[in-house]
Amino acid sequence: MIVLDIKLVREKPELIQQICNNRGLDFDVSQIIALDQRKRKIQQELELLRAESKKLAQNLAKLSDLERGEGIIHGKQLKYEISILENIFEKVAFEYNHLIIKLPNLYSDDTPIGKSEDHNVEFKIYGKTPEFNFEPLDHIKIGTRMGMDFEAGTRVGGAGFPLLRGNLARLETALMRFVLDQAIEKEFEQVSVPLMAKTEIMQGLGFNPRRNEDGNELFPLENDGLYMIGTAEIPLIGQFSDCILPESALPIRMTALSPCFRREGASGRRDAGLYRNKMFHKVELISIVEPETSAATLSNLLEFEIDIFKQLGLYFRVIKICSGDLGAPAYKKYDLEAWMLGRGGSDSWGWGELTSCSNCTDYQARRLKIRYRDGDGNIKFPHTLNATGITTRAIIPILEQNQLETGQIQVPKVLLKYIDSEYL
């Protein structure tokens, strides 16, 4: 599996080490350099021995009986030495691949440097802070009254699987349909995707399904060698693995509505309710483009997300993600966060993530062997980008920011064509 350009790692190991450090990764790049050198040295020795063995085999018939006998003995010795070296090479290559697959992407020059979400930088705020002449309720209290049933969901799947009924189910469906329609209007092709993916696809995209720590957020289907998808980005981009696309096929712009599965649950009041669960619905968008256009494509995806929440009339902000919060594949990333009750503490307002968009440059394309042939016949790696259109979590600020003293929820105007009711 090709990850970062190994030439860059060889030529600028200090830069790669600094990137790993700034991403908060405990990683020793010198180990990769040492293994790469050893692997290449063994490979050169193997090539020399194989060449000698081949030449000997070709010349045996020309030798005298005595020389042929000596040649056969020497040939057997060469095969033995080749076998030993091949075994050593296989072990070194395995160790090399085990390490290099953990290397993250580079990051952009304007990425804030920091080790955690505390170092993300506010980019811009949109809308006005909600004001109430009554004591507002959080989405858990509102949602429980409207059909959010955690007890029923727990009886079926355990903690982290909320069950939505009635108006809440209608609201979730309306949000998904609205954003999907917006994406299609922007010429994203709608795709119905598999909800499971192979290990190599997960790895290629930058997820790490073989990680054994408790932090592994993937749901495995161990008997089948598959994983439940945590985002439709996985099948949308994974479908092009090991493909060489014609230049005319780019840009590829696709969208999908799917359930998403993640082994993560609420950890305290800030994550309660619909904020963090093991299953939710999401509209995802991806683009596969020529490298020269990826920066502009990220800007377009960000504008798409901003426009969605402007149309929904929410108070939200855009933040630029720091080096330690990027995730391995992302070169540059933005998050959109909405004003939510409880995110600032037990009963106070604060910012909570709604969506994100990322430019992964050629990181995923290299790992998945997604290539394209340019007009001159050259094989190149495209850039991949992803963006969250909307998730179930968007219900939180809609309920909290649009609540009325009567207890009703004012429906955003853009959703009326899907709900046909001004109030819930």
Side-chain angles (χ1 to χ4, degrees):
M1 180 179 289
I2 306 171
V3 285
L4 289 181
D5 186 347
I6 188 60
K7 291 182 181 179
L8 179 64
V9 181
R10 291 170 186 158
E11 294 170 2
K12 298 184 178 181
E14 297 86 1
L15 171 65
I16 305 303
Q17 186 64 64
Q18 183 182 29
I19 287 170
C20 290
N21 294 344
N22 288 341
R23 281 177 171 268
L25 299 176
D26 183 14
F27 195 89
D28 186 356
V29 175
S30 66
Q31 292 183 20
I32 287 181
I33 298 296
L35 286 168
D36 175 58
Q37 291 173 344
R38 189 179 178 201
K39 183 168 71 77
R40 286 193 293 161
K41 183 180 179 182
I42 295 171
Q43 196 164 17
Q44 290 172 353
E45 292 175 359
L46 274 171
E47 288 173 358
L48 290 174
L49 287 173
R50 286 167 179 160
E52 185 180 353
S53 177
K54 182 179 179 181
K55 184 178 180 180
L56 178 63
Q58 290 172 340
N59 292 330
L60 275 180
K62 303 175 185 178
L63 301 176
S64 65
D65 291 344
L66 178 61
E67 291 173 326
R68 189 180 304 115
E70 293 175 347
I72 290 172
I73 293 172
H74 184 50
K76 289 181 179 180
Q77 179 63 30
L78 286 174
K79 288 181 180 180
Y80 175 74
E81 291 177 13
I82 289 171
S83 175
I84 294 297
L85 269 184
E86 284 176 339
N87 287 333
I88 295 173
F89 179 84
E90 186 177 335
K91 292 176 182 178
V92 172
F94 176 84
E95 190 175 352
Y96 170 82
N97 291 331
H98 179 72
L99 280 181
I100 201 167
I101 199 173
K102 296 178 180 179
L103 272 181
N105 200 353
L106 310 178
Y107 51 71
S108 65
D109 291 339
D110 61 345
T111 293
I113 303 302
K115 297 294 179 68
S116 71
E117 63 181 21
D118 296 333
H119 298 98
N120 294 335
V121 175
E122 186 174 274
F123 188 67
K124 190 173 181 180
I125 295 179
Y126 296 85
K128 296 180 179 180
T129 308
E131 296 181 356
F132 305 93
N133 56 7
F134 60 93
E135 188 67 31
L137 303 177
D138 65 28
H139 81 281
I140 299 174
K141 293 175 183 176
I142 299 170
T144 300
R145 187 185 68 229
M146 294 178 61
M148 182 170 67
D149 193 336
F150 278 93
E151 290 185 7
T154 300
R155 285 195 292 271
V156 176
F161 295 94
L163 188 149
L164 305 182
R165 297 192 185 97
N167 282 336
L168 278 189
R170 293 172 63 207
L171 178 59
E172 182 186 38
T173 300
L175 284 168
M176 301 299 150
R177 291 180 61 194
F178 163 62
V179 176
L180 197 57
D181 285 350
Q182 293 287 300
I184 293 169
E185 188 176 307
K186 296 290 185 181
E187 298 184 344
F188 283 82
E189 180 185 7
Q190 184 178 357
V191 181
S192 179
V193 297
L195 301 183
M196 306 170 195
K198 299 175 183 177
T199 301
E200 54 266 33
I201 298 298
M202 304 295 279
Q203 279 191 326
L205 284 159
F207 298 91
N208 191 1
R210 289 196 174 99
R211 190 175 65 182
N212 292 322
E213 306 100 85
D214 293 337
N216 190 346
E217 65 178 25
L218 303 175
F219 273 109
L221 300 172
E222 295 177 356
N223 291 339
D224 304 288
L226 299 170
Y227 289 82
M228 303 298 292
I229 63 169
T231 168
E233 170 197 350
I234 294 165
L236 286 175
I237 294 178
Q239 65 181 300
F240 298 105
S241 64
D242 205 18
C243 289
I244 299 177
L245 305 166
E247 189 176 41
S248 60
L250 303 180
I252 292 170
R253 296 151 58 87
M254 293 183 171
T255 184
L257 165 60
S258 76
C260 301
F261 305 88
R262 299 182 184 179
R263 291 178 60 192
E264 57 183 17
S267 55
R269 173 67 181 83
R270 294 180 77 249
D271 292 346
L274 294 178
Y275 192 81
R276 198 176 302 283
N277 285 291
K278 295 176 181 176
M279 196 204 83
F280 55 92
H281 290 93
K282 179 168 73 152
V283 175
E284 181 76 0
L285 299 88
I286 66 99
S287 292
I288 302 177
V289 303
E290 295 177 73
E292 297 78 14
T293 65
S294 69
T297 301
L298 180 63
S299 296
N300 292 338
L301 289 171
L302 176 60
E303 286 303 316
F304 177 87
E305 294 183 333
I306 290 170
D307 186 58
I308 290 295
F309 294 109
K310 277 185 175 180
Q311 291 188 68
L312 290 171
L314 294 176
Y315 178 54
F316 68 99
R317 70 174 182 174
V318 177
I319 61 171
K320 188 178 288 187
I321 302 302
C322 74
S323 56
D325 200 30
L326 278 174
Y331 172 79
K332 186 173 183 177
K333 182 178 180 181
Y334 295 95
D335 274 6
L336 273 66
E337 298 182 333
W339 199 236
M340 302 179 189
L341 189 52
R343 288 297 294 172
S346 58
D347 292 309
S348 60
W349 294 82
W351 297 108
E353 180 188 345
L354 282 179
T355 62
S356 65
C357 56
S358 303
N359 183 355
C360 298
T361 60
D362 61 358
Y363 183 82
Q364 295 174 326
R366 284 179 178 276
R367 294 163 68 101
L368 287 174
K369 297 182 181 178
I370 302 173
R371 295 147 291 168
Y372 73 98
R373 193 186 307 275
D374 69 11
D376 297 323
N378 300 312
I379 302 298
K380 297 182 177 180
F381 292 105
H383 285 191
T384 61
L385 301 96
N386 63 80
T388 308
I390 204 154
T391 74
T392 303
R393 189 182 289 176
I395 291 174
I396 297 175
I398 288 178
L399 295 184
E400 294 178 348
Q401 294 188 26
N402 292 0
Q403 60 183 298
L404 304 174
E405 191 171 8
T406 60
Q408 294 177 300
I409 303 299
Q410 187 162 12
V411 176
K413 291 181 180 179
V414 291
L415 299 184
L416 293 179
K417 65 180 287 188
Y418 305 100
I419 292 183
D420 195 26
S421 176
E422 290 186 36
Y423 304 98
L424 297 177

